[in-house]
Amino acid sequence: MFWRLDPKNLKPGQMVDGWRIVRKLGSGSYAVVYEVEKDGKRFALKVACQVDKRGDPKQTDARARREVVCLQKLGHPHIIRMWAHGRCGDPRSGFLYVVLDLVDGYTLGEWVRRTYPTVQEDVVVFLKLFDALDHMHGRGVFHRDLSLGNIMVTKAGEPVIIDFGAADYAAAEELTDAPLPPGTPRNRSPEAMRFWLENLHNPEARYSFQASDDIFALGADLYDVLTDPTPDLSKNRPSLQGAVAPASPFKATQGRVPLELSSYAMMLIHPSLDERPATAKDARSPLEDFAKCEGPEWRGTRPHPVAAQLPPEPAEGALVPIEEGQPGGVEVPIPAHPSAVQGARVAALNSVRFEWGRPALVGLLALVVLGAAVAASVLHRPAPAEPPPVTRSGPGEQPVPALAEKPTSCPAQLPSSHPTQKEARPSVELPVNSPTLTNGLPNPQKASPRRVLSKVQRCALLVFTVAWVEAGCTGVQTRPDPEECPQEAVDAMEKELGWIGGEQPGIIVDVTKRKPKPVTRQDKLAVFNDGPVTGELVEDEGNAPKGTRLEGHLWTTGDRIYGRYRRAFLPGGRTVPICVELISGGDLGLDKQEGSKPGAAVGSTLVASLVVRRWH
């Protein structure tokens, strides 16, 4: 029974009100998140339980109930969707849970690091995020923790705001037991930080969170996306509220971020509340104009070219900068909240396998890179310097670009001003039928990745990238490594299942790809992604009956589709360790079919597999 289980450590195969646990995704201060399966479909199940001892255990249920209410108020394509909620076990002592979409993609920070988005792609993603924020505020809901980790981007390029564990709504019960609500320090607004400093020693003080706080947080995310090539990994980013103002995106990227977008990003994180947009709708308006801009500086330029995201080679004896802490040098522990969804995380580069000549090829590529780099250094032209600050007569006035000799590629002049906090009404009263933008992001442009690179430089960058991948860079795994099958799995297969090494059971690769009619060998193909997978036996195999579920993992970024299954779920809920690999035509792995793309491989849904004593 569920109440006899530890909700913090549910095991694969255990059931929660009909939802079968597949794996644990993560945990935070007030909840644990699992991937679950029901009727062949995958979801995220968030269980409310006290994880961090710093919190108040009596508030766990209340926080979960508040999250449910917030999600019930919302319905937007770029906000996580709730499918079910309930209490499992005893009505009084059981645990509350929420069932959510399982987003297949990356956190916003990972998306930047792995996909190298263009300027225009960044604009479109934040246009959709501000549209979602407009929808949220229009229904009286504040997220209160819009950090890089609480925004996902699907593999189709669609952003999704997740994790409403810290969210609040009008007339909600006060649960905060500190001056500030739970959240991410870097995304705190200047007003919140000033309140925090002024009330460090006042246990009764409570900050009144406003729509402007969410807007600032999303603006901080935009700044980090535009200025940091590895925002989910960086530990030494400059403070957004230090004594020295952070460098603008235009300056930080040596002009790769257009001046208009750079000025807009700096406006969103301006220290003065009066200089920032009053509502999410106002903040969204300039992005609508930016999204229409044409030209290579928008659609062909990447704020962070591939070279900027390669593992750095620190100089010997170089000093490591230290990130500025909280104002005043004191940091209050702020609970983190678990991500409600964690999709499969696939490497953005697709490694090329060569069966022979690898050392010679890498050496040749290295020589080519060296020659190209020398030529590039001779032909390099520095990026334009950022123009001096322009005094604004109004909070929304656009600065005059110093690059006036280069005409803008935007179809029309951007708005010259926007309502500010002083001009807007104090309450957020936005239309309920806020328009939504659901078009997918355009494919990354294959044109020049940055306008200041010559052809020789681009060639050197491409060759170096291929050489780096071919040399075996970490994080790009196209197939699993050989290893011994655990002895317990060998014993279980032989003694309990009656499987002998070398047998070839027929399996459905992924039951979530099953078609409405029975699967046959002749006509079924599906698109597979890297990550966990649930297969199924198509006929009795030893002591395992037809329909037995097999849990495993797929690798799809190489030249073939590789799969390993490590657990079998027998009737009655019993789990047995196994070692089974996918094979096709006697070769390890499956053939990729026409239409395969990196991270989205097309292959047969029903194939043979191989029982092994050692993973090949």
Side-chain angles (χ1 to χ4, degrees):
M1 296 182 181
F2 183 76
W3 57 88
R4 294 181 181 176
L5 303 176
D6 182 2
K8 306 185 188 85
N9 294 289
L10 296 176
K11 304 301 181 184
Q14 291 179 339
M15 304 296 292
V16 177
D17 276 0
W19 309 89
R20 183 175 61 82
I21 301 295
V22 174
R23 60 175 176 143
K24 186 176 181 179
L25 294 175
S27 62
S29 300
Y30 302 104
V32 179
V33 182
Y34 298 91
E35 181 180 342
V36 296
E37 181 266 342
K38 188 173 186 179
D39 298 331
K41 298 179 181 178
R42 299 292 181 95
F43 300 88
L45 183 138
K46 187 173 184 179
V47 181
C49 55
Q50 193 68 25
V51 178
D52 195 322
K53 295 181 180 179
R54 294 176 301 186
D56 179 6
K58 295 181 180 179
Q59 301 297 323
T60 302
D61 264 18
R63 293 181 187 278
R65 290 195 300 268
R66 186 173 63 183
E67 181 172 3
V68 168
V69 173
C70 289
L71 291 171
Q72 286 176 327
K73 291 175 174 285
L74 305 175
H76 192 278
H78 303 298
I79 296 176
I80 191 71
R81 177 169 41 181
M82 180 178 67
W83 290 98
H85 63 90
R87 185 185 297 277
C88 194
D90 187 271
R92 293 166 297 183
S93 59
F95 296 93
L96 289 172
Y97 66 86
V98 181
V99 179
L100 306 158
D101 275 327
L102 183 67
V103 180
D104 184 16
Y106 314 100
T107 64
L108 183 58
E110 288 175 323
W111 177 72
V112 172
R113 175 167 53 88
R114 292 176 180 269
T115 68
Y116 324 122
T118 64
V119 171
Q120 200 263 354
E121 288 171 341
D122 287 332
V123 167
V124 171
V125 162
F126 277 87
L127 174 58
K128 295 176 179 180
L129 288 173
F130 273 109
D131 190 71
L133 191 61
D134 179 26
H135 171 88
M136 191 186 309
H137 289 172
R139 284 149 181 77
V141 175
F142 299 135
H143 188 279
R144 304 203 300 181
D145 194 13
L146 286 171
S147 63
L148 293 171
N150 285 338
I151 297 172
M152 299 283 290
V153 181
T154 70
K155 291 179 179 178
E158 296 295 334
V160 181
I161 297 176
I162 66 172
D163 194 357
F164 282 72
D168 197 10
Y169 63 94
E173 177 186 3
E174 176 61 65
L175 301 177
T176 301
D177 53 4
L180 297 181
T184 302
R186 181 171 179 79
N187 294 67
R188 302 281 193 192
S189 70
E191 307 85 67
M193 296 309 295
R194 284 194 294 270
F195 182 90
W196 177 74
L197 283 173
E198 295 167 357
N199 294 276
L200 278 175
H201 306 294
N202 181 5
E204 303 300 323
R206 297 292 182 269
Y207 178 70
S208 177
F209 197 93
Q210 304 293 328
S212 57
D213 292 279
D214 271 343
I215 295 170
F216 180 91
L218 203 49
D221 290 334
L222 175 60
Y223 177 85
D224 288 340
V225 164
L226 294 177
T227 60
D228 192 341
T230 58
D232 61 317
L233 301 178
S234 299
K235 302 295 183 183
N236 303 306
R237 289 178 293 188
S239 171
L240 296 178
Q241 302 179 36
V244 179
S248 72
F250 181 93
K251 182 176 181 180
T253 62
Q254 298 181 327
R256 289 188 297 273
V257 173
L259 183 62
E260 302 97 324
L261 179 60
S262 177
S263 299
Y264 166 79
M266 295 303 289
M267 177 185 68
L268 292 179
I269 59 171
H270 197 285
S272 172
L273 175 65
D274 297 331
E275 297 296 311
R276 303 199 300 269
T279 67
K281 187 175 184 179
D282 297 332
R284 183 188 66 194
S285 180
L287 291 170
E288 293 176 339
D289 293 294
F290 294 148
K292 301 173 185 176
C293 291
E294 302 288 346
E297 71 271 28
W298 293 90
R299 297 179 181 267
T301 301
R302 307 176 192 280
H304 316 296
V306 177
Q309 303 183 356
L310 300 181
E313 295 291 342
E316 184 175 356
L319 297 178
V320 178
I322 300 176
E323 182 179 13
E324 295 184 39
Q326 296 276 11
V330 181
E331 184 170 350
V332 172
I334 299 177
H337 297 279
S339 172
V341 288
Q342 292 293 336
R345 298 178 179 183
V346 185
L349 298 177
N350 189 13
S351 175
V352 182
R353 297 177 59 225
F354 293 94
E355 299 301 329
W356 55 273
R358 182 185 300 268
L361 177 60
V362 174
L364 177 61
L365 288 174
L367 291 176
V368 175
V369 170
L370 180 60
V374 172
S377 65
V378 174
L379 299 176
H380 174 67
R381 297 192 312 176
E386 183 176 16
V390 178
T391 303
R392 296 190 297 178
S393 60
E397 186 175 341
Q398 298 292 330
V400 179
L403 307 176
E405 68 277 7
K406 183 174 183 179
T408 179
S409 58
C410 296
Q413 185 174 355
L414 299 176
S416 61
S417 62
H418 304 287
T420 64
Q421 295 291 338
K422 285 183 177 179
E423 300 167 349
R425 291 174 292 178
S427 61
V428 180
E429 297 178 7
L430 305 180
V432 174
N433 59 342
S434 170
T436 59
L437 300 154
T438 57
N439 293 332
L441 296 181
N443 293 328
Q445 300 295 317
K446 296 183 178 179
S448 171
R450 53 180 293 190
R451 59 187 175 191
V452 297
L453 289 182
S454 67
K455 291 183 179 179
V456 175
Q457 289 174 298
R458 294 198 296 271
C459 179
L461 178 59
L462 175 61
V463 172
F464 180 69
T465 299
V466 174
W468 175 60
V469 173
E470 190 55 35
C473 64
T474 58
V476 182
Q477 185 177 19
T478 60
R479 60 174 295 174
D481 297 323
E483 59 178 307
E484 294 295 331
C485 178
Q487 188 59 44
E488 62 173 346
V490 174
D491 294 341
M493 288 190 296
E494 292 183 353
K495 298 176 182 179
E496 297 191 45
L497 299 181
W499 295 0
I500 306 300
E503 288 189 359
Q504 299 185 10
I507 66 171
I508 298 171
V509 177
D510 188 346
V511 294
T512 66
K513 311 291 186 182
R514 188 200 298 273
K515 308 299 181 183
K517 60 182 181 180
V519 176
T520 64
R521 293 183 181 272
Q522 286 76 26
D523 60 349
K524 293 297 181 276
L525 296 177
V527 178
F528 300 109
N529 311 111
D530 274 35
V533 63
T534 300
E536 181 179 290
L537 292 179
V538 297
E539 55 188 5
D540 295 346
E541 196 67 42
N543 298 326
K546 174 182 177 181
T548 296
R549 293 294 175 91
L550 310 177
E551 289 291 343
H553 194 97
L554 292 182
W555 290 262
T556 66
T557 56
D559 59 342
R560 294 173 66 79
I561 302 170
Y562 296 95
R564 289 179 177 176
Y565 296 88
R566 297 180 179 272
R567 289 187 299 273
F569 294 91
L570 301 178
R574 176 167 171 70
T575 304
V576 177
I578 59 174
C579 291
V580 174
E581 292 192 291
L582 294 178
I583 61 171
S584 177
D587 296 326
L588 193 64
L590 307 181
D591 294 328
K592 285 188 174 181
Q593 304 297 325
E594 183 178 356
S596 294
K597 300 177 182 179
V602 179
S604 300
T605 58
L606 191 149
V607 299
S609 61
L610 184 66
V611 176
V612 299
R613 290 174 171 267
R614 173 180 170 79
W615 301 110
H616 298 98

